[in-house]
Amino acid sequence: MIAPRAIAAVRDAWHAAVPVRTMPFARDEADPEAPLLVTFGDADDGLEAPPVEACALLAAALADARGRPLRLMVRFDYRGVIVRGDVAARGADAAGRAVATVPALAALVRDVVSGALDRPHATSPAALPPGLHLLTARFDEGAGAWQVTAAHGFADGVWHRTLADAPEPGAR
């Protein structure tokens, strides 16, 4: 379990650069293997780079509290689409890098979502599903970068999923 003092220290170091919230899943009924959740709020205007000190404190808190890999989720919204990024890092440095590069994920999402919303009837294999609601991403520790892994949408009473490693649109 991540110590509440560690989370408070991260928030203090962040100095409200972004509307970040953290959820350490400390409740008894929570899954002890659940990742730390870091919520960045609305990214319609982009995200500022988190302070280096805050990223280091967050990574150290994860390293002190968790087994391996270190797990955390990042979340923000962009143009009404929920973006959820998953990090499974072998060490604290990689976990800190993942948090530090969330603005790069926001820029990637901006390009993907803006292109899809500007061309809603695109037919390429990478086209996003109708009713786009959720984008998922993962942090590739080796590359030190985020990758969008799937897109989910709800339209015509059916959940749709597209992008890397996703079944064909219309599959449930």
Side-chain angles (χ1 to χ4, degrees):
M1 183 171 101
I2 296 177
R5 285 188 312 272
I7 297 300
V10 170
R11 287 184 184 135
D12 289 346
W14 220 291
H15 299 296
V18 293
V20 70
R21 294 180 306 161
T22 52
M23 181 177 287
F25 292 101
R27 303 181 321 250
D28 290 338
E29 71 272 15
D31 177 358
E33 297 301 315
L36 173 72
L37 173 65
V38 182
T39 302
F40 287 83
D42 191 340
D44 285 2
D45 296 326
L47 292 176
E48 292 182 28
V52 174
E53 179 187 6
C55 294
L57 285 170
L58 186 61
L62 277 169
D64 288 345
R66 304 261 184 208
R68 298 293 188 263
L70 304 179
R71 291 279 324 276
L72 69 104
M73 298 287 293
V74 298
R75 184 196 185 283
F76 58 87
D77 298 326
Y78 177 74
R79 290 181 70 176
V81 176
I82 297 168
V83 179
R84 191 180 68 220
D86 187 25
V87 179
R90 287 179 289 216
D93 289 345
R97 230 178 1 267
V99 174
T101 58
V102 167
L105 173 59
L108 175 63
V109 165
R110 181 192 64 232
D111 292 345
V112 169
V113 172
S114 294
L117 293 178
D118 294 341
R119 291 177 279 113
H121 301 294
T123 57
S124 76
L128 297 178
L132 180 63
H133 178 71
L134 170 70
L135 282 176
T136 58
R138 82 176 168 79
F139 183 73
D140 181 334
E141 187 174 346
W146 289 94
Q147 299 174 340
V148 174
T149 56
H152 308 263
F154 188 75
D156 303 322
V158 177
W159 277 103
H160 301 270
R161 181 175 174 191
T162 60
L163 293 181
D165 301 316
E168 290 298 312
R172 287 181 184 237

